[in-house]
Amino acid sequence: MTTVLTPASPLTAADRCDRCGAQAYLRVVLASGGELLFCAHHGRKFEPELKKIAVEIQDESGRLGTTAATAADDER
């Protein structure tokens, strides 16, 4: 049997950290086929252990350092 991995869709504000409920910025795909979602804080905290069990880690925490183009000047 051949396993085909399809690209994961981008994480949205509806995706929540499995540990604390904050917005998720990391998706961890497990060999068992399941996935875990983590906020940037918990993703960094558990990174060493996650790397041991992950097939793929989708890290979108880089978005935290950017300002949305539609934000008002007083929000920047």
Side-chain angles (χ1 to χ4, degrees):
M1 177 167 73
T2 303
T3 302
V4 178
L5 295 176
T6 58
S9 59
L11 294 166
T12 68
D15 294 309
R16 310 311 287 179
C17 176
D18 290 328
R19 181 73 177 160
C20 69
Q23 183 174 347
Y25 287 94
L26 280 90
R27 174 182 284 128
V28 180
V29 179
L30 305 173
S32 64
E35 70 177 22
L36 298 170
L37 299 176
F38 291 102
C39 64
H41 164 78
H42 284 112
R44 284 189 301 272
K45 181 177 180 179
F46 299 125
E47 181 181 18
E49 294 303 313
L50 292 173
K51 284 184 173 182
K52 294 177 186 177
I53 61 169
V55 172
E56 177 185 356
I57 297 177
Q58 177 183 350
D59 184 351
E60 296 183 11
S61 60
R63 294 187 311 160
L64 290 169
T66 62
T67 303
T70 58
D73 287 337
D74 63 334
E75 295 177 354
R76 294 175 187 237

